Amino acid sequence: MRGFEYLQNELDEMKRQGTFRKLIPLESDQGAKVVINGREVIQLSSNNYLGLTSHPRLTHAAKAAVETYGAGTGSVRTIAGTFNMHQELEEKLAKFKHTEAALVFQSGFTTNQGVLSSILTKDDVVISDSLNHASIIDGIRLTKAARKVYQHIDMADLERALKESEDFRVRIIVTDGVFSMDGNIAPLPEIVDLAEKYDALIMVDDAHASGVLGENGRGTVNHFGLDGRVHIQVGTLSKAVGVLGGYVASSKTLIDYLIHKGRPFLFSTSHPPAVTAACMEAIDVLLDEPELIAKLWENTKFFKEGLQNLGFNTGKSGTPITPVIVGDEALSHRFSDKLLEYGVFAQGIAFPTVAKGLARVRTIVTAEHSKEELQEALNIFEKAGKELNII
Ligand SMILES: Cc1ncc(COP(=O)(O)O)c(C=O)c1O
């Protein structure tokens, strides 16, 4: 059928430039090692920070929920698809995040989209860090609010944007808690001080901080002792929590409003029982097994220092996300391919996910990795890095 030649041309150009990527199917569960093309390799690309995707307590909870409540819910939440367990999970999340209430969306992506698109009008302004996640950017695009982008974590630039915004009804500052491609932590204490000085709201996307930072993985707000001073906390249930979904933890007013106006919530079917039950169990695991987070940080320190000692440029990461910045886009993919050939799965990431000239291989260690696996991965990074003249 004719019609997509213009798209094919673009894909052909990507192939010429070495930036066309094939999906890499996993033939095992998501673990410290995964099977690709029949071969076991060390997984350094997942967001499975605590190894919860296959944790026996979660898989057991999921199976039990299927037995009792079936495979699906058959409706959006506002019509006939709210189950007791959906509300129980939200109560658990609110308690976990120390907020009045919480609301679950189908994914972290739709949470950001749904929140931003529903609470802002043309009378408002959204002030966003230049390196915020795509779902925040898309959420902003869906509003009629004015937009201001401040230079990444530049507090002077944020203050400038706030000063220029005093005539708007609502000013909302939006930031990732942990930036997903660089692994650095947002300077939340300074952001909160500025927000309070200029009477602005704050929304923090803690997709990569929930389960990682703060007491029992409560996120960046708790990590910095800012409970009660950040208006909106977004989290994902798809990364450290190990399952699927996103949530917003905030005031009862905001949650009630989103139940009426949050479009992904209103117009898309609720999570199946297995997902909800596994998420609930995951929160209990975070509370019961803090040693998983301790192991994650121990592994992070070991691997990050190992990469730095080998001479790799790991940017300014302060979390388990450690980029290995190589610059050239095609080189980042060649590096990733070579790592896979030698036994490490770590994806190359290039424009438009990161700025041109800052292509990288992004690594994320998990609590599940053993020291031996991480040392083996470092040896492989050294071998591939030397062969490609990166180090
Ligand atoms: C900062 C950030 N926010 C939101 C999301 C989306 O979360 P989810 O995968 O649950 O849709 C991601 C995931 O890629 C992310 O990195």
Side-chain angles (χ1 to χ4, degrees), residues 47 106-110 112 133 135-136 176 178-180 205 207-208 236-239 244-246 362:
N47 298 309
Q106 289 78 1
S107 70
F109 200 102
T110 56
N112 279 329
H133 189 256
S135 52
I136 293 177
D176 282 8
V178 169
F179 290 88
S180 53
D205 173 3
H208 287 280
T236 173
L237 301 166
S238 331
K239 299 186 193 297
L244 173 71
R362 186 180 68 154

Side-chain angles (χ1 to χ4, degrees), residues 46-52 96-97 177-179 183-185 205-224 235-236 238-242 247 282-283 286-287 289-298 300-301 304 317-322 364-367:
S46 85
N47 298 309
N48 187 21
Y49 289 102
L50 303 175
L52 295 196
F96 183 67
K97 288 279 177 169
V178 169
F179 290 88
N184 57 319
I185 306 173
D205 173 3
D206 256 349
H208 287 280
S210 301
V212 175
L213 283 164
E215 189 195 8
N216 295 92
R218 284 180 166 82
T220 50
V221 174
N222 179 269
H223 168 75
F224 285 116
T236 173
S238 331
K239 299 186 193 297
V241 170
Y247 59 93
I283 303 303
L286 290 181
L287 296 172
E289 300 181 28
E291 60 276 13
L292 290 175
I293 298 179
K295 180 80 189 311
L296 171 68
W297 282 97
E298 193 187 310
T300 297
K301 185 170 183 298
K304 207 184 286 290
S317 161
T319 66
I321 300 173
T322 306
I364 302 184
V365 300
T366 72

Side-chain angles (χ1 to χ4, degrees), residues 50-245:
L50 303 175
L52 295 196
T53 56
S54 307
H55 192 294
R57 282 178 60 179
L58 272 71
T59 52
H60 180 267
K63 282 184 210 154
V66 170
E67 291 299 334
T68 311
Y69 295 101
T73 65
S75 177
V76 298
R77 297 260 317 259
T78 46
I79 301 180
T82 285
F83 286 33
N84 278 343
M85 59 162 67
H86 288 132
Q87 290 180 329
E88 272 173 52
L89 171 60
E90 285 161 348
E91 281 159 22
K92 220 179 241 293
L93 287 168
K95 200 167 164 214
F96 183 67
K97 288 279 177 169
H98 299 155
T99 58
E100 271 178 21
L103 190 70
V104 170
F105 285 73
Q106 289 78 1
S107 70
F109 200 102
T110 56
T111 310
N112 279 329
Q113 274 192 333
V115 172
L116 288 163
S117 63
S118 62
I119 65 170
L120 300 170
T121 71
K122 64 176 176 29
D123 300 326
D124 308 320
V125 60
V126 53
I127 304 172
S128 178
D129 186 287
S130 62
L131 292 191
N132 276 342
H133 189 256
S135 52
I136 293 177
I137 296 169
D138 286 10
I140 294 171
R141 284 180 181 152
L142 289 171
T143 76
K144 291 195 167 60
R147 298 121 204 233
K148 289 185 184 294
V149 175
Y150 62 95
Q151 294 300 314
H152 179 51
I153 62 170
D154 180 337
M155 294 299 100
D157 204 33
L158 171 58
E159 183 154 25
R160 172 203 55 81
L162 283 162
K163 278 187 184 149
E164 289 170 10
S165 305
E166 289 189 295
D167 291 338
F168 289 94
R169 181 187 65 162
V170 168
R171 294 158 290 281
I172 183 166
I173 303 167
V174 189
T175 181
D176 282 8
V178 169
F179 290 88
S180 53
M181 292 301 139
D182 289 288
N184 57 319
I185 306 173
L188 264 197
E190 288 91 330
I191 294 175
V192 168
D193 285 346
L194 283 172
E196 288 173 354
K197 180 169 169 193
Y198 290 93
D199 194 23
L201 303 181
I202 308 179
M203 170 166 157
V204 175
D205 173 3
D206 256 349
H208 287 280
S210 301
V212 175
L213 283 164
E215 189 195 8
N216 295 92
R218 284 180 166 82
T220 50
V221 174
N222 179 269
H223 168 75
F224 285 116
L226 297 169
D227 286 327
R229 292 175 70 193
V230 168
H231 304 79
I232 304 174
Q233 296 183 60
V234 167
T236 173
L237 301 166
S238 331
K239 299 186 193 297
V241 170
V243 195
L244 173 71

